[in-house]
Amino acid sequence: MDRLEATLFEKSSPGRRGCHPPSGGVALVDPVAVLGAELVRETPPALPELGELQVLRHFMRLSQLNFSIDTNFYPLGSCTMKYNPRVNEVTARMPGFARLHPMQPMEAAQGALELMHNLQNDLQEITGMDGFTLQPAAGAHGELTALFMAAAYFRDRGEKRTRVVVPDSSHGTNPASAALAGFEVITIPTNAAGDVDLEQLKQHLNNEVACLMLTNPSTLGLFEQHIVEVARLVHEAGGLLYYDGANMNALLGVARPGDMGFDLVHLNLHKTMSTPHGGGGPGAGPVGARGALVDYLPGPRSARQGEGFTFETPSKSIGRVRMFWGNFLVLVRAYTYIRHHGPEGLREVAEGAVMAANYLRARVKDAFDMPYDRLCMHEFVLSARTMKEKKGVRAMDVAKRLLDYGFHAPTVYFPLCVEEALMIEPTETETLETLDSFAEALLKIAQEDVALVTTAPHTTPVGRADEARAARKPILRWEGEAP
Ligand SMILES: *Cc1c(COP(=O)(O)O)cnc(C)c1O
């Protein structure tokens, strides 16, 4: 395949310069005296030589090959791809936050500690937990942290609990985190209504189960109807209830995991509290705990000390789960998001997300299979099963064809318990016009010529990539010659 944009090395031409420092304006130092002879290059580094405008246009063109939330609708279920308010960027760029040094003394970082302290409190209030740690760097990291806490808790109580139960609709990170934390994973099926199968749950609960990991609303976009009963059963068996908070966007200001009986939670600040998702990070996966579990939270946590703030580690803490706060600016964005919405605004976020999802679901349900046909929360799952059987058009084909209409594809083939799944999360931030045009595109694709759909996309910079080859033999390096 021809590359769409040559590298800066290929565009380089000797002697071209992007900027011209004033001659004599830079103090001349002897590099050998400063660095030592062994560290000084004998030949200058082979950097590309280009004019400023060339570089600017290169990166601008690359940026336009990307699909982004700032250019188009991005209904990727489970990921909560919503608009990231620009005020977040203003606060995250404040020099007092952006230029903090990791080794800065506590007295000189009081503002940052105060922000962390307030954020811990806000997350506590939002989720109904008794304490929070901001240490974990992502949702999966939060899961692992909470499972380590559960293990330490049971170890202290002298209980040997080696199993973690997950529903078959759960995100892949749930069983992966449980296995990484040393637990045996037990998967239980979802019932016909899309809830946890209570009979199956009862059969698997015993004094070896440490924890049930639940996403609520589930990854099917459904609120667990028997959550109170589920919590009672797990607690009666002496286990803990873990809340995967990736779907908290649906519940903000409306319902709290703590009130439903959850003991441990993680939130994905980069989903629910808005942070640009790009290139896999950075994110933040704070963990909250209730009751006796608070003592096991990783430290350090920001705590009040007299008029100011300090770092403190809980008494039975499992220790650190990372070193420095490299994702601190994600915390600044989340705090900004929470404060500029306020309690009323956060509730509107959840209500808007749920309304948008139900609107879309109702508009497209006749063209696809709807495996769980009931009111949804902030997302819903369609299936292209009948379409595949009748015409050979698969969920992946529909997803690719949507790109031609200018929409990002929804999540496909997840959750695993739904065949040919298309998982759609519109979020609260889109207009009715956008939702309507997306629904119309889906309805149209359902009627389109099979060959047109199965060879899509036709209008994107790159057509249908060979995904298996891309995964097995990725080409991650430019192999050309530097000038
Ligand atoms: C995104 C997600 C996770 C994992 O979170 P990361 O921040 O990507 O590590 C876990 N569970 C669910 C339901 C998710 O959607």
Side-chain angles (χ1 to χ4, degrees):
M1 187 190 78
D2 287 337
R3 281 175 304 127
L4 297 158
E5 178 75 13
T7 64
L8 288 180
F9 287 107
E10 290 160 294
K11 291 179 187 166
S12 173
S13 119
R16 283 219 179 124
R17 287 290 174 270
C19 67
H20 300 273
S23 58
V26 181
L28 285 179
V29 291
D30 175 11
V32 176
V34 177
L35 295 170
E38 71 281 7
L39 290 179
V40 175
R41 290 173 182 275
E42 279 157 16
T43 49
L47 297 176
E49 299 175 78
L50 300 114
E52 180 171 322
L53 183 57
Q54 279 185 292
V55 176
L56 188 90
R57 287 189 179 150
H58 171 74
F59 286 109
M60 186 55 77
R61 275 195 296 266
L62 284 180
S63 78
Q64 289 171 342
L65 294 176
N66 277 346
F67 197 101
S68 76
I69 190 78
D70 289 344
T71 47
N72 302 72
F73 182 45
Y74 214 128
L76 202 61
S78 211
C79 298
T80 307
M81 300 293 294
K82 61 175 160 188
Y83 173 66
N84 300 291
R86 289 305 182 264
V87 64
N88 295 0
E89 300 309 310
V90 174
T91 53
R93 280 180 195 153
M94 287 178 170
F97 292 135
R99 297 202 190 142
L100 268 181
H101 190 277
M103 304 295 275
Q104 197 137 332
M106 206 83 81
E107 314 80 73
Q110 285 293 305
L113 281 157
E114 181 172 358
L115 182 142
M116 292 167 89
H117 186 260
N118 293 352
L119 180 58
Q120 285 165 195
N121 287 345
D122 286 353
L123 299 180
Q124 248 167 261
E125 177 62 31
I126 287 168
T127 56
M129 292 283 129
D130 298 328
F132 251 90
T133 176
L134 302 177
Q135 280 229 330
H141 195 194
E143 294 167 23
L144 186 66
T145 301
L147 289 163
F148 281 153
M149 288 169 62
Y153 170 79
F154 286 120
R155 207 157 42 232
D156 280 357
R157 292 167 61 98
E159 293 184 53
K160 196 165 168 359
R161 290 178 178 262
T162 53
R163 294 184 183 165
V164 165
V165 180
V166 298
D168 60 359
S169 62
S170 75
H171 193 272
T173 51
N174 290 189
S177 300
L180 202 59
F183 290 101
E184 182 192 344
V185 179
I186 312 283
T187 306
I188 53 167
T190 298
N191 68 20
D195 292 314
V196 167
D197 186 323
L198 289 180
E199 286 315 308
Q200 289 280 336
L201 178 65
K202 283 182 202 158
Q203 277 177 31
H204 286 99
L205 285 177
N206 55 37
N207 61 6
E208 290 181 46
V209 172
C211 180
L212 169 68
M213 298 179 84
L214 217 56
T215 312
N216 193 21
S218 70
T219 55
L220 294 162
L222 304 173
F223 190 87
E224 177 60 53
Q225 299 181 85
H226 307 293
I227 185 59
V228 174
E229 176 72 354
V230 168
R232 192 181 62 78
L233 290 171
V234 172
H235 290 148
E236 267 177 17
L240 298 173
L241 197 56
Y242 177 81
Y243 185 80
D244 176 332
N247 290 342
M248 194 68 201
N249 207 43
L251 300 189
L252 289 173
V254 179
R256 310 194 304 171
D259 299 335
M260 298 172 207
F262 285 92
D263 304 292
L264 289 160
V265 314
H266 88 252
L267 293 178
N268 304 60
L269 296 189
H270 46 290
K271 295 180 182 173
T272 311
M273 307 300 180
S274 84
T275 241
H277 312 10
V287 167
R290 268 210 315 179
L293 287 159
V294 174
D295 293 340
Y296 293 85
L297 284 169
R301 305 197 306 133
S302 178
R304 271 202 179 277
Q305 185 186 50
E307 297 285 285
F309 298 88
T310 187
F311 272 140
E312 193 176 88
T313 297
S315 57
K316 299 175 184 165
S317 175
I318 59 163
R320 281 175 178 274
V321 292
R322 65 188 311 202
M323 281 306 294
F324 297 109
W325 304 92
N327 62 345
F328 174 66
L329 298 176
V330 177
L331 306 181
V332 176
R333 289 181 175 93
Y335 185 65
T336 309
Y337 185 80
I338 292 170
R339 286 301 161 118
H340 96 256
H341 276 91
E344 297 296 315
L346 289 180
R347 191 187 171 97
E348 277 177 33
V349 163
E351 290 169 348
V354 170
M355 187 158 61
N358 278 290
Y359 177 76
L360 261 189
R361 187 182 68 92
R363 283 220 52 189
V364 304
K365 63 186 272 190
D366 295 337
F368 292 86
D369 298 308
M370 183 71 67
Y372 302 101
D373 194 5
R374 65 184 230 214
L375 268 185
C376 66
M377 296 297 287
H378 65 307
E379 63 189 355
F380 60 100
V381 181
L382 298 172
S383 163
R385 192 171 66 95
T386 307
M387 212 176 260
K388 181 179 156 195
E389 276 165 14
K390 288 205 175 138
K391 313 199 289 187
V393 171
R394 310 183 59 215
M396 185 61 86
D397 301 319
V398 176
K400 297 287 187 197
R401 182 65 180 142
L402 276 169
L403 302 176
D404 287 332
Y405 285 93
F407 299 112
H408 193 277
T411 297
V412 289
Y413 301 102
F414 177 76
L416 301 178
C417 54
V418 173
E419 236 182 287
E420 295 297 323
L422 289 150
M423 183 193 210
I424 297 169
E425 176 177 359
T427 80
E428 72 283 3
T429 51
E430 298 296 339
T431 61
L432 187 58
E433 292 83 344
T434 302
L435 299 182
D436 278 333
S437 51
F438 179 72
E440 276 144 29
L442 269 177
L443 296 175
K444 219 161 146 194
I445 292 169
Q447 304 297 326
E448 276 179 339
D449 175 53
V450 172
L452 182 68
V453 179
T454 55
T455 53
H458 306 283
T459 58
T460 51
V462 176
R464 202 172 279 215
D466 181 341
E467 292 178 17
R469 198 156 65 96
R472 292 201 185 118
K473 291 192 178 159
I475 302 169
L476 303 176
R477 273 183 66 209
W478 175 60
E479 300 281 359
E481 289 280 314

